Amino acid sequence: MSSSPGIQPQEPVDVVYISIETAIALASVLGNVLVVLVVYVNRALRNTTFFFIVSLAVADIAVGLLVIPLAIVISLGLQTQFYTCLFLSCLLLIITQSSILSLLAIAIDRYLRVKIPTKYSSVVTQRRAWAAVALCWVLSFLTGMVPMTGWNNRDVQMNLSDSTDIPCTFMAVMRMDYMVYFNFFGLVVVPLTIMTSLYVEIFRVIRRQLNSRAEATCDAERYYQKELRLAKSLALVVFLFIVCWMPIHIMNCISFFCKDCKIPTVAMNVGIFMSHVNSAVNPMVYAFRIKRFRVTLIEITSRCMLCKRTQPTPCATSAAAITEKTNAKTYMTDAGS
């Protein structure tokens, strides 16, 4: 007998949960839409690094538009067929994995920027950057959909027919050995270890270049100072990702390796909240740490608040052109040194 589909009566605690999740979703969508808009408006930000940042922002927008609403619906006791629930759970894995791979792409891009500054522009072209973004999303889709191929809890539901509805929860359909061994150790720990190593090397190279001031030109020093500031900001994004996502993964490991250990529901909810909050904090890092981003964001916000139309002026155009020429000149001077 299949149970009738529907939503279970809402408990008082659900109001708090839904309110917090809704606030996080709104912040994620609004903040990351502004990230995409800033990169679109400011031509100086349309470089390969910000292509990957836009990819990360798109993943964070998807968290606000898809992942969090699905989490809210599931918390209300939605009853679905097994594979419907499994597919919804896989969407979360796809979006999370795209964030990790985007962060890895950013780290590789910044590493190449300081390691081979003279060859960087010829090695990392816009076409290759967009191809890397597409590859990140394809790999995210393939790895996230692995449970649909059979690595799931379908065999645990012995008497479950294809038409039977079940209470849709992540733990009911997803196997913990997949989440711990494949997802966490393979798709989270390994990329984060590579990223950490890359940023350590980036800081080492930049410090070495800045310490050899006797041999470095003023343009070269400015170049590496700018790279150092941006590397610190992007390393902070990686650090916040680790802080926000480690609790839920650690609790998954505890549940898997210690069968007798019971994780409190409050702790699990806090871990889920933190993983969702990560999607809302990245725009704040860009706004506070990257000056060009902050200036453009303030300009867009002030125009929206004052209801002014964006009217291109000769001065604005000239300023943008001068900025681009200055950046190009700085890079070419550094390349020739």
Side-chain angles (χ1 to χ4, degrees):
M1 290 291 293
S2 63
S3 59
S4 59
I7 294 178
Q8 297 175 352
Q10 183 175 335
E11 300 176 3
V13 70
D14 288 339
V15 177
V16 177
Y17 175 83
I18 292 173
S19 300
I20 296 175
E21 287 282 43
T22 301
I24 296 173
L26 291 174
S28 299
V29 173
L30 179 60
N32 287 285
V33 165
L34 285 174
V35 171
V36 177
L37 188 58
V38 165
V39 176
Y40 175 77
V41 169
N42 192 336
R43 292 183 178 181
L45 295 176
R46 296 182 198 172
N47 54 44
T48 52
T49 299
F50 278 89
F51 290 165
F52 299 123
I53 289 178
V54 167
S55 175
L56 179 60
V58 170
D60 289 336
I61 291 172
V63 170
L65 290 178
L66 293 176
V67 173
I68 294 179
L70 286 175
I72 293 174
V73 170
I74 289 174
S75 73
L76 296 177
L78 177 69
Q79 302 228 356
T80 67
Q81 295 180 6
F82 179 87
Y83 283 104
T84 301
C85 183
L86 182 62
F87 177 76
L88 296 178
S89 301
C90 287
L91 287 179
L92 168 63
L93 301 177
I94 292 170
I95 295 169
T96 303
Q97 196 57 40
S98 68
S99 298
I100 297 174
L101 292 180
S102 295
L103 289 172
L104 179 59
I106 291 172
I108 294 173
D109 175 74
R110 301 324 297 175
Y111 173 77
L112 295 175
R113 179 85 175 179
V114 300
K115 198 69 175 179
I116 52 169
T118 57
K119 299 178 180 178
Y120 173 83
S121 57
S122 59
V123 172
V124 186
T125 62
Q126 287 192 3
R127 178 175 295 183
R128 289 175 179 173
W130 283 119
V133 169
L135 180 62
C136 288
W137 281 92
V138 169
L139 289 176
S140 301
F141 179 81
L142 293 177
T143 56
M145 294 299 288
V146 166
M148 294 293 294
T149 64
W151 199 351
N152 54 57
N153 274 339
R154 183 66 172 79
D155 56 340
V156 176
Q157 313 285 346
M158 299 298 296
N159 299 321
L160 190 65
S161 65
D162 292 338
S163 60
T164 301
D165 290 340
I166 63 170
C168 182
T169 63
F170 190 85
M171 295 298 186
V173 296
M174 203 67 65
R175 282 177 54 167
M176 275 296 102
D177 55 349
Y178 165 83
M179 289 302 302
V180 172
Y181 290 126
F182 187 81
N183 184 267
F184 179 49
F185 291 154
L187 301 179
V188 175
V189 173
V190 171
L192 288 177
T193 302
I194 296 173
M195 278 183 252
T196 303
S197 303
L198 287 174
Y199 278 111
V200 169
E201 179 64 12
I202 288 170
F203 291 131
R204 190 190 69 81
V205 171
I206 292 176
R207 292 295 185 188
R208 185 186 63 195
Q209 293 293 338
L210 292 176
N211 288 335
S212 4
R213 292 183 178 178
E215 303 176 2
T217 64
C218 293
D219 286 335
E221 184 174 346
R222 283 196 297 270
Y223 173 81
Y224 284 106
Q225 286 285 3
K226 183 184 70 174
E227 290 300 317
L228 179 61
R229 288 192 297 271
L230 185 55
K232 285 181 178 179
S233 301
L234 297 175
L236 177 59
V237 172
V238 175
F239 174 75
L240 290 174
F241 183 92
I242 295 173
V243 170
C244 291
W245 277 97
M246 279 302 113
I248 191 67
H249 281 296
I250 290 173
M251 283 186 279
N252 284 341
C253 290
I254 293 174
S255 299
F256 179 67
F257 291 114
C258 180
K259 304 299 183 182
D260 297 328
C261 299
K262 183 175 178 58
I263 306 296
T265 303
V266 174
M268 290 296 295
N269 285 339
V270 170
I272 294 171
F273 286 145
M274 289 183 65
S275 66
H276 293 166
V277 163
N278 180 247
S279 298
V281 298
N282 289 339
M284 290 186 280
V285 174
Y286 307 145
F288 283 105
R289 300 278 306 180
I290 303 177
K291 184 177 180 180
R292 289 181 299 172
F293 185 94
R294 181 172 63 253
V295 170
T296 307
L297 181 61
I298 293 173
E299 181 183 354
I300 292 174
T301 306
S302 61
R303 284 177 178 174
C304 291
M305 293 179 65
L306 297 175
C307 299
K308 289 183 178 181
R309 292 183 178 180
T310 304
Q311 296 180 350
T313 61
C315 293
T317 305
S318 300
I322 290 172
T323 302
E324 291 182 4
K325 289 180 181 178
T326 303
N327 291 338
K329 182 179 178 182
T330 301
Y331 180 77
M332 291 304 295
T333 304
D334 178 65
S337 61

